[in-house]
Amino acid sequence: MTTQVLLVDDHPVVRAGLRAVLESLGDITVCAEAQDGLGALDVLARPGHGVDVVVMDLQMGQGMGGLEATRRIVAAGGPPVLILTTYDAQADVVAALEAGATGYLLKDAQPATIGQAVHDAAAGRPVLSPSVTAHLVSRVRAPGTTLSPREIDILRGLATGASNRALAKSLFISEATVKTHLVHIYDKLGVDNRTAAVSRAREEHVI
C-alpha cells in the first residue's frame, strides 16, 4: 500500500520537483495536485478522492493560502495536513498548528525526511522540523517574552515602514494603543527603536 498525497503549491515547477522526490521513494503516490487552497478543497470534495495526506505550502499567490485551507480541511474532517514551506517564522508555525496542521516541515529537508514526514502525518503523528521545534521550545520556556498575535501584526507593519497612524488605521485601533504595543514589543525584544525591533524579530524568526 502506498500513501496517497494531494500536493498543493502555486508553483508548477515546485510541484513537479516535489512529485518527483516523493514518488522516487517508492511508497508514496501523488494522486492529485492543486495550485492553491481552494483547488485543494475542490479535490477533497470529490467522492472517493483517496487522499491520505495533504502536503501544502503556506503562501500561494493570490489564491487561498495554506492556513485558511487547513482550517477548512480540518473542520470538514478531511485528511491530515502537512505544511511544507520555506517560512520558519514563529508566527507562521504557531498559526499553522493552531489551524490544525498535523506537521510543519521546511522545503530544505532531505527527501527521506520529507517522505517519513508524509507517512507520519498520514498516520496522524505530529511532525516538526528541528528549527520549528526549537522555536516552540523557546516560546514555552519564556512565555513572558513571547509576542502576542497583535504585536506580531504590528511588527510586520513596521517591517513595511508603516507609520503609527497607518498601523492604527490598518488594525482598527488607536494610535495610543499602537504606542502601548510598541513599548511592550521593545521590552520583550530588548530594543529601543523600530528599526532594531524589526531586525531582532527577523533574527529570531518571529516575522
Side-chain angles (χ1 to χ4, degrees), residues 41-56:
L41 295 175
D42 287 342
V43 170
L44 296 176
R46 300 171 189 167
H49 56 71
V51 176
D52 296 314
V53 60
V54 180
V55 177
M56 181 153 51

Side-chain angles (χ1 to χ4, degrees), residues 99-147:
T102 299
Y104 197 108
L105 197 65
L106 301 183
K107 288 180 178 177
D108 62 1
Q110 293 296 313
T113 300
I114 296 176
Q116 186 59 53
V118 166
H119 290 306
D120 286 343
R125 294 188 290 269
V127 181
L128 294 175
S129 69
S131 63
V132 167
T133 301
H135 290 332
L136 296 181
V137 169
S138 169
R139 180 185 176 96
V140 171
R141 285 180 175 173
T145 61
T146 298
L147 295 166

Side-chain angles (χ1 to χ4, degrees), residues 10-206:
D10 62 329
H11 294 99
V13 173
V14 173
R15 290 202 307 274
L18 287 174
R19 174 188 280 270
V21 167
L22 293 173
E23 295 192 336
S24 71
L25 299 173
D27 53 3
I28 296 175
T29 299
V30 176
C31 63
E33 296 183 14
Q35 66 179 7
D36 63 13
L38 190 58
L41 295 175
D42 287 342
V43 170
L44 296 176
R46 300 171 189 167
H49 56 71
V51 176
D52 296 314
V53 60
V54 180
V55 177
M56 181 153 51
D57 197 0
L58 275 184
Q59 305 294 334
M60 288 178 278
Q62 300 301 312
M64 180 188 291
L67 289 179
E68 180 59 25
T70 297
R71 292 190 190 96
R72 297 193 187 191
I73 291 170
V74 172
V81 177
L82 170 64
I83 298 297
L84 184 62
T85 183
T86 58
Y87 302 96
D88 67 345
Q90 186 184 98
D92 292 322
V93 175
V94 172
L97 297 180
E98 289 180 342
T102 299
Y104 197 108
L105 197 65
L106 301 183
K107 288 180 178 177
D108 62 1
Q110 293 296 313
T113 300
I114 296 176
Q116 186 59 53
V118 166
H119 290 306
D120 286 343
R125 294 188 290 269
V127 181
L128 294 175
S129 69
S131 63
V132 167
T133 301
H135 290 332
L136 296 181
V137 169
S138 169
R139 180 185 176 96
V140 171
R141 285 180 175 173
T145 61
T146 298
L147 295 166
S148 69
R150 176 62 81 195
E151 289 166 348
I152 290 173
D153 287 339
I154 288 177
L155 267 172
R156 284 175 166 162
L158 291 182
T160 68
S163 64
N164 287 0
R165 177 173 295 181
L167 286 169
K169 184 177 181 179
S170 65
L171 297 174
F172 302 102
I173 56 179
S174 68
E175 287 189 58
T177 300
V178 169
K179 292 178 181 178
T180 298
H181 281 308
L182 286 175
V183 170
H184 294 158
I185 289 170
Y186 294 167
D187 182 57
K188 290 179 179 180
L189 294 178
V191 299
D192 59 7
N193 62 72
R194 299 160 70 98
T195 301
V198 172
S199 178
R200 180 64 57 81
R202 284 175 171 158
E203 289 174 0
E204 297 184 2
H205 298 279
V206 173

